[in-house]
Structures are given as structure tokens and as C-alpha cells.
Amino acid sequence: MTDSRTSEVPVTIPYGKKEIKAKICPANAEKSRDYAVILTHGASGHMDHSHLIALCNHLTQRGFLCLRFTYLSPRVEHRMMAYKAVVEFLQNSEEYKVKGCFVAGRSMGARAAVMLANTIDETNNDFICGVVCLSYPLHPPSKSSELRKDILIALKTPTLFISGTKDAFCIDSLFDNVLDELTCQHQVTWVNGGDHGLKVKGRIEEEVISDMCDTVYRWCVDRVTAPQLAKDSDKAVNKACDVKGKLKENMKRKRDSKTDKHRASKKKV
């Protein structure tokens, strides 16, 4: 894959007693949208993974600042905390001022991004505009019963999923069932025949990755060009879910009330 990178600025982000190595790619000044996309890698990868570099190039040329970082840990909870430090670094930066950001990740990095979004939701922080999941690992290979779905169901932040239909970490039919349980705004783009690395037999890799980049760009730009419309839509979705939940609760109360009356009549007899 061609590696024609835009200008990159190496940065070191404090994280407790550790440091996180990162690279910032400033947005095209003529097209700047004042928003950023933060990207991180899978379990054994690094910030210079070809997909992340391609995304950075594509997005920065179209007005998004991009920040890639590397943090290796076998525990996704640790990855999430490191991700939080990166987001806070960008949010508090005087040099790179942005209105908000999208948190993106590949494979295990996607899990960390989702977990972070859930944590931010609890604090009502509007800085994170959305989540981008590349090849979300719904389950370990050959262990489709061990679904990593709870953090997805808890999502309130708008989320984009891009996965291959032949991903050993994400059986498409199982993922569709999980998506039906989501209450947040979400979009899934299936790469037909794609594996966990989004490689498709018979297709040129550059074409597949180019399509991926364009999908991410279009989804992100839709979120920032009409943010109020998106927020109103999110509120409507959440309100509908609340109403649905209350209806279920009322129906349960009525059933319980009938059961209690039935038991009481039996005792009298």
C-alpha cells in the first residue's frame, strides 16, 4: 500500500508515570472543520498500521485533525484509560484547538474506544462526537458464544461500524442481532468478503481501504455539519427507548397486579 503521509508532529502524552507516543497530523488549513479524529491500533499493532495511516491522510486532507497513538496492553481496561488520557490531552491543548473529536480504533482499539465513550457519557461530556469501530471483535475466533456485546448495548454515542462479512472475530449474523439491541444512533458498513484485516480475495487492497476511508469521512462530516440536528435525533431515540421501557414496566405491573388478585381470591375460597 502506498505510504504518502501528510505532515506529522510527534508528541509525547503524559500518562501517570508513563508516556504515550503519538503523532498529530494537522488538518488542511483551507478546509479545517475544527474537529479531530483520534485513532488507535489492535491488540498487537501500532499507530503506523496501514489502515490508520490511510485514514489520517484521507481525513486531514479534508479538514479533520488526526491524532494516532500507540499503547500496548493485553487488558482492554488499560487501553481505555490510556485512550482517556489522549482525549484529555487534545481537549486541553492550547496548540491544537478543536471543538470535539471522534474516537476510532481497530479491533481491540475499537473496544477501548467504545468503553471510553460509555465512560464519557456518564459525565455528560460533549467533546466526543462519535465512535468509529474498524473490525470490532465481537467474539474470539471459534468462540462465538463469548459475545463482547454489553459495552455495545450500553452505548449512547453515535457509532460507525465497518466490518468484513468473513471476519473470524465477528460473525455477521450474530453482529446483526446485537445491533438490533442498540439504542444509540449507529451505522454498519459491511465489506463483502472481508476478513478481520478487511482483506478481500480478488480485490485490490488499496481500493478496499479507500472505500473504508471515504465511509469514515462521510459519516464524520455528517455529524459535524449538522450537530444540532444529530443531537435532537439522539434525544428522540433515547426518549423513544424510555417510553418503550416505561410501557414494558407498566405491563409488568398490570400482570403482577392480576396475579396478586388471583392469589387473593384463591385464599378466600
Side-chain angles (χ1 to χ4, degrees):
M1 182 175 294
T2 303
D3 184 4
S4 56
R5 306 187 194 186
T6 54
S7 61
E8 299 179 339
V9 181
V11 294
T12 300
I13 300 171
Y15 176 49
K17 296 181 180 180
K18 301 179 180 180
E19 293 180 337
I20 299 172
K21 299 296 183 182
K23 293 179 181 178
I24 291 180
C25 304
N28 181 327
E30 296 179 358
K31 301 180 180 179
S32 179
R33 298 181 180 278
D34 297 323
Y35 286 88
V37 179
I38 303 176
L39 307 109
T40 194
H41 53 86
S44 59
H46 51 79
M47 62 181 162
D48 287 335
H49 186 283
S50 60
H51 292 186
L52 305 187
I53 291 174
L55 261 175
C56 276
N57 291 340
H58 194 86
L59 294 171
T60 54
Q61 290 166 11
R62 290 161 179 78
F64 286 95
L65 178 146
C66 285
L67 187 159
R68 306 195 310 275
F69 73 95
T70 297
Y71 189 82
L72 291 170
S73 172
R75 296 190 60 181
V76 69
E77 295 84 2
H78 293 173
R79 292 284 303 272
M80 184 273 287
M81 292 305 297
Y83 211 140
K84 184 178 180 183
V86 174
V87 170
E88 290 174 349
F89 165 82
L90 186 60
Q91 187 173 11
N92 298 323
S93 174
E94 289 294 327
E95 186 174 0
Y96 302 101
K97 291 180 179 290
V98 290
K99 296 176 182 178
C101 76
F102 294 86
V103 289
R106 185 188 174 282
S107 193
M108 187 181 187
R111 290 176 64 197
V114 170
M115 291 176 68
L116 175 60
N118 288 339
T119 302
I120 296 298
D121 280 338
E122 293 172 1
T123 62
N124 296 315
N125 189 328
D126 290 333
F127 188 69
I128 292 182
C129 309
V131 184
V132 177
C133 296
L134 307 177
S135 298
Y136 181 86
L138 182 63
H139 53 76
S142 303
K143 295 182 180 179
S144 58
S145 61
E146 300 178 14
L147 297 182
R148 298 161 175 152
K149 69 173 187 174
D150 290 347
I151 59 172
L152 296 180
I153 294 172
L155 271 170
K156 295 179 182 178
T157 307
T159 304
L160 170 67
F161 298 96
I162 300 179
S163 292
T165 58
K166 292 187 177 181
D167 188 343
F169 290 77
C170 184
I171 296 175
D172 52 358
S173 58
L174 291 178
F175 198 40
D176 282 335
N177 291 338
V178 172
L179 293 174
D180 286 340
E181 299 184 58
L182 266 60
T183 57
C184 68
Q185 281 197 337
H186 60 276
Q187 174 184 320
V188 58
T189 297
W190 289 108
V191 178
N192 191 32
D195 61 13
H196 192 59
L198 298 182
K199 293 181 179 178
V200 180
K201 187 176 181 179
R203 284 194 67 186
I204 299 172
E205 185 178 3
E206 282 84 351
E207 292 179 355
V208 177
I209 301 309
S210 177
D211 289 346
M212 174 198 75
C213 292
D214 196 51
T215 299
V216 173
Y217 166 71
R218 291 180 183 279
W219 186 82
C220 289
V221 83
D222 282 347
R223 299 298 310 174
V224 301
T225 51
Q228 188 57 51
L229 182 63
K231 285 183 180 179
D232 291 343
S233 180
D234 290 344
K235 288 178 182 177
V237 170
N238 291 334
K239 185 176 180 181
C241 292
D242 289 341
V243 170
K244 188 177 179 181
K246 288 177 182 178
L247 287 173
K248 286 184 177 180
E249 187 177 341
N250 290 337
M251 290 176 67
K252 184 177 184 300
R253 285 177 180 172
K254 288 181 180 180
R255 287 197 300 269
D256 292 344
S257 178
K258 287 182 180 180
T259 301
D260 291 341
K261 287 179 180 179
H262 182 65
R263 288 173 179 168
S265 64
K266 273 191 170 183
K267 286 181 180 179
K268 290 180 181 179
V269 174

